[in-house]
Amino acid sequence: DTAVSQTPKYLVTQMGNDKSIKCEQNLGHDTMYWYKQDSKKFLKIMFSYNNKELIINETVPNRFSPKSPDKAHLNLHINSLELGDSAVYFCASSHRGRGYGYTFGSGTRLTVV
Amino acid sequence: SQQGEEDPQALSIQEGENATMNCSYKTSINNLQWYRQNSGRGLVHLILIRSNEREKHSGRLRVTLDTSKKSSSLLITASRAADTASYFCATGRSGGSNYKLTFGKGTLLTVNP
């Protein structure tokens, strides 16, 4: 049973296209996150949702729009893809609060050509 | 802004040796966590140490935290080839009503059989 699952695992698309990445967790966590890992392995938080409410929205282009239909799902839609969007995108979940580790999905490798 | 900085960036040791990785950070924290990432995979939570704790053990892992020096270390004893991975420290910090986990750039550990 996969705890945090992301689809697709790989995504190759052309510049200017719109694409979505889906994430689901079956851990009963109330908070979900999107992180972006660049080619140098640096992980940067993008968004966080708690019980469907957006609680963290870092400086991310408006082309990126998260959506959480319920607390077990967090999707990421990207409009007008650019070359610089190429990266690995990780979904994670946790209980909200200071004392919990995060559970990560296996990542979606996005390549924009 | 980036919070944790791991040192060294890369470490190569022989199986059976101990591996020590360090992490420094800049601001006050609620806790510090260590994660492992195998190549092409998601991050796996290893251990969490709270700001009022100085040392914590989990199996072959030993983590220390010195809040006066704003630094932490991760010791892996009796290393195995399967420990080969990137190791990230992450600092947990509350900002307003939100808690955020910020990652460093990681240490690439190679354990040679």
Side-chain angles (χ1 to χ4, degrees), chain A residues 3 9 14 21 26 31 34 54 59-60 62 73 86 93-94 97:
Chain A
K9 190 169 176 62
Q14 290 189 325
I21 307 171
N26 62 4
T31 307
W34 278 112
L54 180 66
T59 307
V60 177
N62 291 339
H73 295 84
S86 295
S93 71
S94 76

PDB file of all heavy atoms in Angstrom, chain A residues 3 9 14 21 26 31 34 54 59-60 62 73 86 93-94 97:
ATOM      1  N   ALA A   3       1.814   4.956   0.566  1.00  0.00           N
ATOM      2  CA  ALA A   3       1.302   5.939   1.493  1.00  0.00           C
ATOM      3  C   ALA A   3       0.990   7.265   0.794  1.00  0.00           C
ATOM      4  O   ALA A   3      -0.071   7.837   0.981  1.00  0.00           O
ATOM      5  CB  ALA A   3       2.304   6.140   2.620  1.00  0.00           C
ATOM      6  N   LYS A   9       4.726   9.507 -12.997  1.00  0.00           N
ATOM      7  CA  LYS A   9       6.097   9.462 -12.481  1.00  0.00           C
ATOM      8  C   LYS A   9       7.030  10.266 -13.395  1.00  0.00           C
ATOM      9  O   LYS A   9       7.984  10.877 -12.926  1.00  0.00           O
ATOM     10  CB  LYS A   9       6.572   8.009 -12.399  1.00  0.00           C
ATOM     11  CG  LYS A   9       7.887   7.839 -11.664  1.00  0.00           C
ATOM     12  CD  LYS A   9       8.168   6.382 -11.381  1.00  0.00           C
ATOM     13  CE  LYS A   9       9.536   6.189 -10.732  1.00  0.00           C
ATOM     14  NZ  LYS A   9       9.646   6.865  -9.433  1.00  0.00           N
ATOM     15  N   GLN A  14       6.008  19.783 -24.199  1.00  0.00           N
ATOM     16  CA  GLN A  14       6.575  20.921 -24.900  1.00  0.00           C
ATOM     17  C   GLN A  14       6.276  22.226 -24.182  1.00  0.00           C
ATOM     18  O   GLN A  14       5.284  22.337 -23.432  1.00  0.00           O
ATOM     19  CB  GLN A  14       6.012  20.974 -26.324  1.00  0.00           C
ATOM     20  CG  GLN A  14       6.517  19.843 -27.211  1.00  0.00           C
ATOM     21  CD  GLN A  14       6.115  20.033 -28.656  1.00  0.00           C
ATOM     22  OE1 GLN A  14       5.038  20.548 -28.946  1.00  0.00           O
ATOM     23  NE2 GLN A  14       6.970  19.616 -29.572  1.00  0.00           N
ATOM     24  N   ILE A  21      -0.260  17.373 -12.227  1.00  0.00           N
ATOM     25  CA  ILE A  21       0.309  16.266 -11.459  1.00  0.00           C
ATOM     26  C   ILE A  21      -0.650  16.009 -10.299  1.00  0.00           C
ATOM     27  O   ILE A  21      -1.124  16.953  -9.653  1.00  0.00           O
ATOM     28  CB  ILE A  21       1.699  16.613 -10.894  1.00  0.00           C
ATOM     29  CG1 ILE A  21       2.633  17.114 -11.997  1.00  0.00           C
ATOM     30  CG2 ILE A  21       2.306  15.403 -10.204  1.00  0.00           C
ATOM     31  CD1 ILE A  21       3.950  17.672 -11.468  1.00  0.00           C
ATOM     32  N   ASN A  26      -2.900   8.126   1.815  1.00  0.00           N
ATOM     33  CA  ASN A  26      -3.852   7.284   2.561  1.00  0.00           C
ATOM     34  C   ASN A  26      -3.431   7.129   4.014  1.00  0.00           C
ATOM     35  O   ASN A  26      -3.734   6.116   4.662  1.00  0.00           O
ATOM     36  CB  ASN A  26      -3.996   5.922   1.873  1.00  0.00           C
ATOM     37  CG  ASN A  26      -2.692   5.144   1.831  1.00  0.00           C
ATOM     38  OD1 ASN A  26      -1.674   5.582   2.377  1.00  0.00           O
ATOM     39  ND2 ASN A  26      -2.710   4.000   1.178  1.00  0.00           N
ATOM     40  N   THR A  31      -2.414  17.556   6.367  1.00  0.00           N
ATOM     41  CA  THR A  31      -1.662  18.584   5.652  1.00  0.00           C
ATOM     42  C   THR A  31      -0.865  17.957   4.523  1.00  0.00           C
ATOM     43  O   THR A  31      -0.249  16.902   4.687  1.00  0.00           O
ATOM     44  CB  THR A  31      -0.713  19.314   6.622  1.00  0.00           C
ATOM     45  OG1 THR A  31      -1.466  19.792   7.745  1.00  0.00           O
ATOM     46  CG2 THR A  31      -0.059  20.507   5.934  1.00  0.00           C
ATOM     47  N   TRP A  34       3.564  20.578  -1.714  1.00  0.00           N
ATOM     48  CA  TRP A  34       4.300  20.395  -2.960  1.00  0.00           C
ATOM     49  C   TRP A  34       5.676  21.018  -2.792  1.00  0.00           C
ATOM     50  O   TRP A  34       5.796  22.174  -2.360  1.00  0.00           O
ATOM     51  CB  TRP A  34       3.601  21.064  -4.148  1.00  0.00           C
ATOM     52  CG  TRP A  34       2.495  20.242  -4.730  1.00  0.00           C
ATOM     53  CD1 TRP A  34       1.172  20.519  -4.685  1.00  0.00           C
ATOM     54  CD2 TRP A  34       2.625  19.010  -5.448  1.00  0.00           C
ATOM     55  NE1 TRP A  34       0.456  19.534  -5.317  1.00  0.00           N
ATOM     56  CE2 TRP A  34       1.328  18.595  -5.790  1.00  0.00           C
ATOM     57  CE3 TRP A  34       3.709  18.218  -5.827  1.00  0.00           C
ATOM     58  CZ2 TRP A  34       1.074  17.421  -6.510  1.00  0.00           C
ATOM     59  CZ3 TRP A  34       3.458  17.050  -6.523  1.00  0.00           C
ATOM     60  CH2 TRP A  34       2.162  16.665  -6.858  1.00  0.00           C
ATOM     61  N   LEU A  54      -5.464  26.500   1.786  1.00  0.00           N
ATOM     62  CA  LEU A  54      -4.094  26.884   1.442  1.00  0.00           C
ATOM     63  C   LEU A  54      -3.473  27.629   2.610  1.00  0.00           C
ATOM     64  O   LEU A  54      -4.002  28.655   3.055  1.00  0.00           O
ATOM     65  CB  LEU A  54      -4.115  27.774   0.194  1.00  0.00           C
ATOM     66  CG  LEU A  54      -2.752  28.262  -0.315  1.00  0.00           C
ATOM     67  CD1 LEU A  54      -1.911  27.091  -0.814  1.00  0.00           C
ATOM     68  CD2 LEU A  54      -2.942  29.294  -1.420  1.00  0.00           C
ATOM     69  N   THR A  59       6.779  32.086  -3.029  1.00  0.00           N
ATOM     70  CA  THR A  59       6.880  32.895  -4.236  1.00  0.00           C
ATOM     71  C   THR A  59       6.996  31.972  -5.440  1.00  0.00           C
ATOM     72  O   THR A  59       8.085  31.525  -5.798  1.00  0.00           O
ATOM     73  CB  THR A  59       8.106  33.824  -4.161  1.00  0.00           C
ATOM     74  OG1 THR A  59       8.049  34.565  -2.962  1.00  0.00           O
ATOM     75  CG2 THR A  59       8.121  34.758  -5.359  1.00  0.00           C
ATOM     76  N   VAL A  60       5.854  31.651  -5.992  1.00  0.00           N
ATOM     77  CA  VAL A  60       5.773  30.742  -7.121  1.00  0.00           C
ATOM     78  C   VAL A  60       5.000  31.459  -8.229  1.00  0.00           C
ATOM     79  O   VAL A  60       4.020  32.147  -7.935  1.00  0.00           O
ATOM     80  CB  VAL A  60       5.034  29.443  -6.704  1.00  0.00           C
ATOM     81  CG1 VAL A  60       4.864  28.508  -7.884  1.00  0.00           C
ATOM     82  CG2 VAL A  60       5.780  28.740  -5.592  1.00  0.00           C
ATOM     83  N   ASN A  62       2.365  32.543 -10.988  1.00  0.00           N
ATOM     84  CA  ASN A  62       0.916  32.309 -11.031  1.00  0.00           C
ATOM     85  C   ASN A  62       0.533  31.169 -11.963  1.00  0.00           C
ATOM     86  O   ASN A  62      -0.609  30.696 -11.925  1.00  0.00           O
ATOM     87  CB  ASN A  62       0.187  33.582 -11.478  1.00  0.00           C
ATOM     88  CG  ASN A  62       0.256  34.669 -10.427  1.00  0.00           C
ATOM     89  OD1 ASN A  62       0.478  34.381  -9.256  1.00  0.00           O
ATOM     90  ND2 ASN A  62       0.069  35.902 -10.844  1.00  0.00           N
ATOM     91  N   HIS A  73      -6.124  14.529  -1.066  1.00  0.00           N
ATOM     92  CA  HIS A  73      -5.657  14.795  -2.435  1.00  0.00           C
ATOM     93  C   HIS A  73      -5.145  16.219  -2.577  1.00  0.00           C
ATOM     94  O   HIS A  73      -5.746  17.156  -2.042  1.00  0.00           O
ATOM     95  CB  HIS A  73      -6.806  14.586  -3.442  1.00  0.00           C
ATOM     96  CG  HIS A  73      -7.293  13.175  -3.517  1.00  0.00           C
ATOM     97  ND1 HIS A  73      -8.223  12.653  -2.636  1.00  0.00           N
ATOM     98  CD2 HIS A  73      -6.963  12.167  -4.365  1.00  0.00           C
ATOM     99  CE1 HIS A  73      -8.452  11.395  -2.952  1.00  0.00           C
ATOM    100  NE2 HIS A  73      -7.707  11.067  -3.991  1.00  0.00           N
ATOM    101  N   SER A  86      11.381  22.559 -15.626  1.00  0.00           N
ATOM    102  CA  SER A  86      11.910  21.196 -15.580  1.00  0.00           C
ATOM    103  C   SER A  86      12.538  20.939 -14.217  1.00  0.00           C
ATOM    104  O   SER A  86      13.430  21.676 -13.782  1.00  0.00           O
ATOM    105  CB  SER A  86      12.951  20.978 -16.679  1.00  0.00           C
ATOM    106  OG  SER A  86      12.359  21.073 -17.957  1.00  0.00           O
ATOM    107  N   SER A  93       3.080  14.640   2.811  1.00  0.00           N
ATOM    108  CA  SER A  93       1.968  14.854   3.739  1.00  0.00           C
ATOM    109  C   SER A  93       2.470  14.694   5.172  1.00  0.00           C
ATOM    110  O   SER A  93       3.515  14.080   5.415  1.00  0.00           O
ATOM    111  CB  SER A  93       0.818  13.883   3.464  1.00  0.00           C
ATOM    112  OG  SER A  93       1.159  12.565   3.841  1.00  0.00           O
ATOM    113  N   SER A  94       1.723  15.247   6.103  1.00  0.00           N
ATOM    114  CA  SER A  94       2.061  15.114   7.515  1.00  0.00           C
ATOM    115  C   SER A  94       0.839  15.514   8.345  1.00  0.00           C
ATOM    116  O   SER A  94      -0.151  16.038   7.822  1.00  0.00           O
ATOM    117  CB  SER A  94       3.236  16.019   7.894  1.00  0.00           C
ATOM    118  OG  SER A  94       2.818  17.368   7.995  1.00  0.00           O
ATOM    119  N   GLY A  97       1.553  20.548  12.488  1.00  0.00           N
ATOM    120  CA  GLY A  97       2.158  20.786  13.781  1.00  0.00           C
ATOM    121  C   GLY A  97       3.668  20.659  13.702  1.00  0.00           C
ATOM    122  O   GLY A  97       4.232  20.305  12.678  1.00  0.00           O
TER     123      GLY A  97
END
